[in-house]
Amino acid sequence: MMDSFEFNKIAGGVLATLMMTMLLGIFSGMVFGPHIPAKPGYELPSAPAQETATNAPEAPAEPLPVLLAKADPAKGQALAKACGACHNFEKGAGPKVGPPLYGVVGRKVASMDGFSYSDALKAKGGTWTMDEINKFITNPKADVAGTKMGFAGEQSPEKRADIIDYLHTLSDNPVPMPKP
């Protein structure tokens, strides 16, 4: 038979092993445990905040005719590839999600047959001049509240000028470019 001293040694060894296992679990939980954020979920990217230095005056924006004089229609065509997901650029091509853009410069607003424009764009009226296109593609939702266009807008005046110069080339009779 086993005497009490041997039994105590075995019981002590088992208890020590269990205690070390428990402490190792607690320690590894602290080291490798998940980080629980204060607010659950993920932050989604949003439009960059307009940050301006309080002591530096904002540089005046160049007028559109000056930007158009420096514009490159080849750059505009490359920039407009993203627009190709919703718009056609070829002459005679029908609408996609958005109306075709061939001949848009100088065309009446919301005037393409076969496309269902939003009521807000129909109410805008007028003609798609270069200035009007510039305002619209800067922020479509702000320019025509209620438009169906999902594009967030192009903030760079130079890129907008390149796009407008490219759209200007998509015409049988291009409107004259404004003088800088």
Side-chain angles (χ1 to χ4, degrees):
M1 272 208 98
M2 184 174 9
D3 65 350
S4 65
F5 183 69
E6 286 295 315
F7 178 75
N8 285 342
K9 283 191 328 188
I10 293 173
V14 169
L15 287 175
T17 302
L18 290 174
M19 176 90 72
M20 287 303 293
T21 304
M22 187 175 78
L23 289 174
L24 184 61
I26 292 170
F27 177 74
S28 64
M30 291 184 334
V31 173
F32 300 108
H35 169 71
I36 300 172
K39 180 180 173 188
Y42 296 99
E43 289 294 323
L44 297 176
S46 61
Q50 297 292 332
E51 294 181 28
T52 57
T54 55
N55 57 359
E58 190 174 313
E62 287 186 281
L64 184 60
V66 173
L67 291 170
L68 286 170
K70 297 187 248 178
D72 181 359
K75 286 181 183 176
Q77 183 177 14
L79 291 166
K81 284 189 181 191
C83 307
C86 298
H87 298 278
N88 277 317
F89 295 100
E90 296 82 29
K91 181 178 180 177
K96 288 183 171 181
V97 175
L101 296 179
Y102 187 88
V104 70
V105 180
R107 181 168 71 206
K108 288 189 181 296
V109 174
S111 65
M112 285 298 299
D113 291 332
F115 186 74
S116 175
Y117 291 95
S118 66
D119 291 336
L121 203 55
K122 288 178 192 175
K124 178 179 176 67
T127 304
W128 284 121
T129 63
M130 292 180 196
D131 283 327
E132 286 297 317
I133 293 171
N134 186 42
K135 282 187 347 188
F136 187 69
I137 65 175
T138 300
N139 187 344
K141 300 275 186 205
D143 186 46
V144 180
T147 183
K148 294 179 189 176
M149 188 158 161
F151 178 61
E154 175 57 61
Q155 298 306 308
S156 167
E158 291 81 12
K159 289 180 180 179
R160 286 194 312 269
D162 289 336
I163 293 168
I164 293 167
D165 197 11
Y166 168 63
L167 292 175
H168 170 260
T169 66
L170 302 177
S171 176
D172 293 333
N173 300 311
V175 237
M177 293 292 274
K179 301 283 184 218

